[in-house]
Amino acid sequence: MNWDLLVRGGTVIDGTGRPGYRADIGIATGRVAAAGSLNGARAGIEIDATGRYVVPGFIDTHVHGDASVWDPAVQLAALRQGVTTFVLGQDGLSFAPTSPAALTWVSRYFSAVNGPWSTPATQCSQSTGTQARNGRSGPQLSVAELLSLYHHTTALNTVYLLPHGTIRLCVMGNSPNAPDAQQLAAMVRLAEEGLDDGAAGVSSGLSYLPARYAAVDELAAVCRPAARRGLPYVTHMRTYGAASASGMAEACAIARQAEIAVHISHYHGPSTLLTELVDNALSAGIDLTYDTYPYLRGCSILARMLPDWLATADLDRTLDILTERKTRLRLAEEIESGTWQQVTLAHVPSARYGWTIGMRLCDAARHLGRAPADFCADLLIDTALGAGVVFDHPDSEDSISELLRHRVHMGGSDGIYVAGHPHPRGYGTFARLLRRHVRELGDWSWEQAVVHLSARPAQRFHLPDRGTIACGQVADLAIIDPATVGDRATYTDPNVLASGIDDVIVAGTPVLTAGKLTGRLPGIPLQIC
């Protein structure tokens, strides 16, 4: 027997939940061709996995790698955690389908999360076109065009969700109004086209603009084309933490009205409340899942802190209002003093204030002799709303453990890779789950971990040939040293690579060997047809 690649002597944890078993794995034409005792087999490439676990590659169900997945440093950060697939298009804001104005707006407003729009240099010519769509002309990006840019240009596979907020911008610009019948029909058409192009569902970000303006009827209408295809609605809810009940009620209302499965992004808060909300939804017949990450801090854009009366989708108008003294006084009155203490500056694209990266906002303000509200306004103006922050969650380690153990949980890093001083979750989430919640706390067995991180996400996003190890499955594999796997990224030093995963295979191709990138780029967009 001759294979393209052989993984010898490892303990296979196949994603079905059954106990791990000793087996060799033979790979041919990118797929698992045999698993068992293959003593007489030979291959052009052989990997000795003795003493290590062989698992299906992990699927990061919530990550902001839309423009950074081409960066070798980002690929290395993911692969060193065993991640082989990114689910992109999160929080309702991404780069397709877009009009020229929408692409500019998203690149500006969400720059601290997704970064500005950019493509691999060799493929820039494919990223724009002049064909008029929906009555607009000029440079535009369809879902099909975006997905083509992820084809064999990265070591990672990608899955793309249709961003509701971007679709709304294409049709309505920055209007705060509810769509009329014609506008809603145009939004639904864009959703149908994007799904035909291979998108895997619809996402929303209801605490971000412009989705703050959207009501249940609008969101359900945009979701119905996905529902007809059996694809999910993925939502950053309007409220989290102790206020999660209203956010969950809205998500369930959309699910019922659209008759769609719903997935809650980065679910966090008091576990007693949150698990009860999930169980109640499941008991009521809602097809619901969620992801959560194992940290007590979050990360987002600083502009998200702005109250509804100030934050408008007219970004220049927001900047103008921030210059007004009455605005700053009102911010100081309405935002509790303790809130400023919880905010650390993660991304500050400013020559004037770049030195504040990694500092608490209140400490930087004190250094300048400014009130926090005044400094916040100045920072937003100077960065054109481009500042990003890390902030404290009112969570506990016990709540994280309980949320992880729930049967509908799956892994998602919410990783943000924009330059600066990011949250460590992009470099550490999956390794931290294995170190802390498997090896140290025992919240999962190793077999359960692979179900949460590989098999269940593949089921949710309709990736039938991934997520488990079996003959015929695509050979996306990670090889784990169970004794040494762990996160090393911290809030102080957030860009440190994880340890214990030195060999990773994507579609039968080694992309990580001895902990280093091989330079091979077998990743493809996993299009849903």
Side-chain angles (χ1 to χ4, degrees):
M1 293 181 291
N2 293 308
W3 311 110
D4 298 332
L5 190 152
L6 265 174
V7 180
R8 290 192 181 276
T11 297
V12 175
I13 302 178
D14 63 11
T16 65
R18 68 169 171 164
Y21 56 94
R22 160 65 175 81
D24 306 321
I25 296 177
I27 297 169
T29 62
R31 294 180 179 265
V32 176
S37 180
L38 304 176
N39 293 330
R42 294 290 181 267
I45 301 173
E46 297 193 11
I47 298 173
D48 183 1
T50 303
R52 294 188 286 172
Y53 294 162
V54 183
V55 306
F58 299 146
I59 298 168
D60 191 338
T61 62
H62 188 104
V63 60
H64 295 282
D66 304 48
S68 61
V69 70
W70 296 296
D71 184 346
V74 172
Q75 296 170 38
L76 183 61
L79 294 169
R80 287 283 290 261
Q81 300 175 72
V83 173
T84 57
T85 300
F86 273 0
V87 182
L88 307 174
Q90 302 287 348
D91 294 345
L93 290 167
S94 190
F95 302 119
T98 46
S99 65
L103 186 57
T104 299
W105 192 99
V106 170
S107 289
R108 179 178 172 187
Y109 176 74
F110 225 40
S111 63
V113 175
N114 282 345
W117 171 240
S118 61
T119 66
T122 57
Q123 305 215 9
C124 283
S125 62
Q126 298 181 31
S127 68
T128 59
T130 56
Q131 179 184 1
R133 294 188 185 92
N134 304 302
R136 298 173 184 267
S137 62
Q140 299 174 65
L141 189 68
S142 71
V143 171
E145 289 166 337
L146 177 61
L147 294 184
S148 74
L149 295 175
Y150 296 133
H151 187 80
H152 290 172
T153 59
T154 172
L156 302 171
N157 299 311
T158 52
V159 175
Y160 188 71
L161 302 171
L162 278 179
H164 156 263
T166 302
I167 288 174
R168 192 181 214 273
L169 287 164
C170 285
V171 174
M172 300 179 62
N174 58 25
S175 171
N177 300 324
D180 60 27
Q182 184 175 1
Q183 290 169 327
L184 190 59
M187 292 168 69
V188 171
R189 280 198 304 274
L190 282 174
E192 289 172 338
E193 290 171 5
L195 292 161
D196 287 344
D197 284 348
V202 174
S203 80
S204 71
L206 301 182
S207 69
Y208 293 112
L209 294 166
R212 286 191 190 185
Y213 305 141
V216 168
D217 288 353
E218 174 187 328
L219 291 157
V222 174
C223 283
R224 284 194 189 97
R228 289 193 291 270
R229 294 165 170 82
L231 300 174
Y233 166 55
V234 178
T235 181
H236 172 126
M237 298 192 302
R238 208 174 296 268
T239 55
Y240 281 91
S244 291
S246 60
M248 179 65 80
E250 183 177 35
C252 289
I254 294 163
R256 291 190 188 94
Q257 194 163 318
E259 298 183 330
I260 193 168
V262 62
H263 178 85
I264 309 298
S265 297
H266 41 63
Y267 198 45
H268 64 267
S271 59
T272 302
L273 169 64
L274 268 60
T275 55
E276 180 181 9
L277 294 173
V278 169
D279 290 340
N280 288 344
L282 293 170
S283 296
I286 302 294
D287 181 357
L288 183 142
T289 54
Y290 66 85
D291 62 75
T292 193
Y293 52 80
Y295 294 91
L296 296 177
R297 298 183 191 177
C299 185
S300 189
I301 58 175
L302 179 59
R304 197 179 130 213
M305 291 183 61
L306 299 178
D308 287 345
W309 58 264
L310 172 57
T312 77
D314 183 340
L315 303 182
D316 290 329
R317 175 61 181 151
T318 298
L319 292 173
D320 288 341
I321 296 172
L322 283 168
T323 66
E324 299 173 0
R325 186 61 186 161
K326 62 182 180 181
T327 297
R328 297 171 179 231
L329 290 172
R330 190 172 172 185
L331 280 177
E333 292 172 356
E334 293 186 7
I335 297 180
E336 296 179 5
S337 59
T339 300
W340 303 114
Q341 299 281 347
Q342 299 170 10
V343 176
T344 299
L345 299 171
H347 179 61
V348 184
S350 162
R352 183 181 181 189
Y353 295 121
W355 58 270
T356 66
I357 291 174
M359 296 178 67
R360 293 278 185 176
L361 186 148
C362 58
D363 291 338
R366 188 179 304 112
H367 181 82
L368 293 167
R370 308 295 303 280
D374 267 343
F375 175 62
C376 176
D378 286 343
L379 188 61
L380 287 168
I381 292 168
D382 200 67
T383 62
L385 303 178
V389 295
V390 171
F391 53 88
D392 297 346
H393 277 322
D395 290 351
S396 70
E397 294 287 356
D398 288 343
S399 283
I400 289 173
S401 289
E402 186 171 350
L403 289 171
L404 294 179
R405 289 193 295 264
H406 199 284
R407 63 185 175 86
V408 301
H409 165 273
M410 56 191 72
S413 70
D414 203 3
I416 293 172
Y417 299 100
V418 177
H421 191 88
H423 194 296
R425 62 196 184 192
Y427 281 74
T429 288
F430 287 79
R432 184 178 181 86
L433 288 168
L434 298 179
R435 173 188 64 80
R436 179 166 177 77
H437 295 279
V438 178
R439 191 170 68 231
E440 296 176 1
L441 298 180
D443 291 322
W444 296 331
S445 66
W446 287 99
E447 290 80 4
Q448 290 169 332
V450 177
V451 170
H452 282 257
L453 305 181
S454 301
R456 190 170 295 146
Q459 293 166 1
R460 176 48 102 197
F461 293 101
H462 293 252
L463 312 176
D465 54 354
R466 286 175 167 81
T468 59
I469 297 175
C471 289
Q473 292 285 83
V474 174
D476 291 350
L477 306 174
I479 302 173
I480 301 172
D481 182 340
T484 64
V485 66
D487 57 308
R488 299 189 296 176
T490 65
Y491 293 110
T492 302
D493 199 0
N495 298 317
V496 182
L497 296 169
S499 62
I501 299 178
D502 291 334
D503 293 281
V504 177
I505 298 161
V506 171
T509 300
V511 291
L512 189 74
T513 298
K516 299 181 183 298
L517 295 175
T518 66
R520 307 286 293 277
L521 304 174
I524 61 172
L526 305 181
Q527 295 175 256
I528 311 301
C529 300

